[in-house]
Amino acid sequence: MEVLLEKNSPTLASLKVTLTKEDYQPKVDKVIKDYSKKVNLKGFRPGKVPSHVIQRMYGKSILVDEVNNLLSTAVSNYIRENKLQVVGDPVPDREKAAEVNWDSPSQFEFSYDLGVATDFEVNLAELPAVKRYTINVDDNELTKTVDSLRERFAESLHPEVSELGDMIFGELKQETSEFTTRTAIPTKQVKEDSVSKFIGIKKDDVIVFDIQNTFTDEAAIAHVTGKKKEDTAELSGEYTLVVEDVTRSAPSQLNQEFFDKVLGAGQVETEEQFNEKVLEIIKGNYERETEALLRRDIENALLESIAIEVPADFLKDWLERTNEGKFTREQIEEQFEDFQKSLKLSLIKNKIADKESVKVEYPEILAFTREMVKGQFGIYGDDESMKETIDRVAQGYLADKERDNYTSIFNQVFDNKVLEIIRSQVTTDEQTIEVSEFEKLAKGEEVAA
């Protein structure tokens, strides 16, 4: 077997593979022999079909399969062993392949077009300093977060008399249409000039109101009546609500029950401990956000500092061919700049990973997935009572082959490990900023120096 590379340009190459009979015939003979032991043919005892019969019936298809297997392995091995920066997939020369005479096999020649990236070096020490931000988390931020948590874990009260913001439950009727339903009316969705009818209300009171002139919008009418939004225009006239209950959402008290709901049972015992833990969580959340911003800025610095050329037209053709029916050429053209950036970043990160011998093991993947699941469940601390459930959900998520979740998480863990290597070698310009300034930066807006 002979494999020759010919560079046609800095980003295009041809790979010529020549196979002799000595390369493929032993493999073909072995498959034919295996067939003769397994195939059941009328007139022959099981496992006793002569090889020449198998050759006559299946020889050509076996030859094609074995040659294709050899070609695939040869091309992959050559690319890997010679560390070619191949982008896209090798494209076989179909005209040359069509000329092959499978009926009189001897020496075969095949050719593949390759798209390659130009050579480049990664010297992280030479990258310009990247700004790394620390967000100033003050008492005001803590107060806002605690208030938000108190609202999230609000308690439901049942006052005797209603106030603005309460929910009024009861039976809604319209005598003229024989309409009746049990419903809940949020007073926040009642128009200002009608809300007085719903304030100071208690159980067994009767409220009469015009269905079209009482609520802020069609969605509110649909919610109250149980009708579809598009059907609410047909409703008219006065409706009657017989009040059965008033409920009020009150911010949770700063007590042990609230602490346990937010952080997990037994994590803290006092308000001071709770505030310390919440402040730690806030800082951790902002730390993740600043890390995400730092990642973006590092990636931009890599792209700006490391020159890599890729074969644009080759890649566009490859994308169109491999995504046939999913994307038009116009869509590929529109999104190609982003694809090209992603491709170049991948090449850079792979070179760093290869140099640093980066490996990703299953325990790392499972640990990452556990943290992701905890975030989805809204678990802030180490809740032992949920550990078994979290592990089961995480393992089930990774086992979902249809969505290929394992590969997705693997790539994220790999990316994080490579980023850590980059972080350790890139100079950072440390800056402390306020939350409002960071929010602007995250949106890509400029902030005052």
Side-chain angles (χ1 to χ4, degrees), residues 59-71:
K60 185 175 179 179
S61 63
I62 291 171
L63 174 64
V64 172
D65 287 344
E66 291 308 309
V67 167
N68 281 331
N69 288 337
L70 279 169
L71 288 171

Side-chain angles (χ1 to χ4, degrees), residues 85 120-122 124 292 294-296 298-300 302-303 306 308 341-359 411-422:
Q85 299 281 2
F120 63 93
E121 294 298 327
V122 179
L124 297 175
L294 177 62
R295 178 192 296 256
R296 185 189 75 184
I298 284 176
E299 289 179 345
N300 287 337
L302 289 169
L303 289 171
I306 301 173
I308 306 174
K341 286 181 180 179
S342 177
L343 175 61
K344 289 181 180 180
L345 274 174
S346 180
L347 291 169
I348 294 169
K349 290 176 181 178
N350 286 339
K351 177 158 283 194
I352 295 170
D354 185 54
K355 181 180 178 181
E356 301 289 340
S357 301
V358 173
K359 293 181 180 179
N411 290 337
Q412 291 181 65
V413 175
F414 172 84
D415 208 51
N416 288 342
K417 294 186 81 169
V418 174
L419 184 67
E420 280 301 311
I421 293 170
I422 298 171

Side-chain angles (χ1 to χ4, degrees), residues 128-397:
V130 180
K131 290 181 181 179
R132 183 184 184 281
Y133 299 99
T134 299
I135 299 174
N136 180 34
V137 180
D138 55 18
D139 291 340
N140 181 53
E141 194 68 21
L142 173 63
T143 301
K144 282 168 55 180
T145 303
V146 172
D147 288 346
S148 176
L149 288 168
R150 291 179 66 198
E151 291 290 340
R152 177 180 169 185
F153 294 94
E155 300 171 355
S156 185
L157 307 178
H158 298 272
E160 292 186 6
V161 180
S162 67
E163 296 178 358
L164 182 62
D166 291 346
M167 187 83 74
I168 301 176
F169 291 83
E171 185 176 20
L172 183 64
K173 301 178 181 180
Q174 188 185 41
E175 301 295 341
T176 57
S177 64
E178 298 184 354
F179 171 87
T180 180
T181 187
R182 307 187 77 76
T183 190
I185 297 180
T187 54
K188 289 182 179 179
Q189 294 183 2
V190 176
K191 290 181 179 178
E192 188 176 350
D193 57 1
S194 301
V195 76
S196 59
K197 293 183 179 180
F198 298 84
I199 304 301
I201 296 299
K202 57 185 182 299
K203 184 179 178 182
D204 296 327
D205 283 352
V206 176
I207 308 172
V208 180
F209 57 89
D210 186 282
I211 194 67
Q212 290 294 339
N213 297 327
T214 299
F215 299 100
T216 53
D217 53 33
E218 293 176 343
I221 299 174
H223 169 78
V224 169
T225 61
K227 299 285 187 179
K228 294 181 180 179
K229 186 177 177 180
E230 56 268 26
D231 296 335
T232 57
E234 301 173 3
L235 304 177
S236 63
E238 290 187 336
Y239 281 64
T240 301
L241 180 74
V242 180
V243 179
E244 297 175 358
D245 188 27
V246 176
T247 63
R248 181 176 301 158
S249 181
S252 179
Q253 297 295 311
L254 291 171
N255 53 29
Q256 191 63 48
E257 182 182 2
F258 172 64
F259 301 156
D260 290 348
K261 284 180 180 178
V262 175
L263 300 175
Q267 294 294 308
V268 299
E269 296 179 353
T270 67
E271 183 177 343
E272 182 180 2
Q273 292 175 342
F274 176 77
N275 286 341
E276 288 177 358
K277 194 74 173 178
V278 170
L279 190 60
E280 181 183 320
I281 292 168
I282 295 171
K283 290 180 178 178
N285 289 339
Y286 277 128
E287 177 72 18
R288 282 190 290 275
E289 291 190 41
T290 56
E291 283 298 305
L293 182 59
L294 177 62
R295 178 192 296 256
R296 185 189 75 184
D297 291 345
I298 284 176
E299 289 179 345
N300 287 337
L302 289 169
L303 289 171
E304 291 170 4
S305 303
I306 301 173
I308 306 174
E309 289 183 41
V310 294
D313 290 338
F314 176 91
L315 286 169
K316 290 173 185 177
D317 291 340
W318 172 71
L319 287 168
E320 186 175 11
R321 186 169 54 253
T322 55
N323 293 284
E324 187 176 1
K326 297 179 182 178
F327 300 103
T328 64
R329 184 70 179 208
E330 290 72 20
Q331 290 173 317
I332 290 170
E333 293 283 356
E334 289 173 4
Q335 300 174 30
F336 186 73
E337 187 63 31
D338 289 337
F339 168 80
Q340 189 171 230
K341 286 181 180 179
S342 177
L343 175 61
K344 289 181 180 180
L345 274 174
S346 180
L347 291 169
I348 294 169
K349 290 176 181 178
N350 286 339
K351 177 158 283 194
I352 295 170
D354 185 54
K355 181 180 178 181
E356 301 289 340
S357 301
V358 173
K359 293 181 180 179
V360 176
E361 305 292 345
Y362 181 77
E364 299 172 293
I365 294 171
L366 182 58
F368 182 93
T369 309
R370 283 196 191 106
E371 292 304 310
M372 182 183 72
V373 172
K374 285 171 64 177
Q376 292 172 344
F377 282 174
I379 298 173
Y380 296 107
D382 294 322
D383 191 337
E384 286 297 320
S385 65
M386 290 292 290
K387 187 177 185 303
E388 185 177 338
T389 300
I390 290 168
D391 282 355
R392 186 173 64 252
V393 173
Q395 290 166 1
Y397 181 85

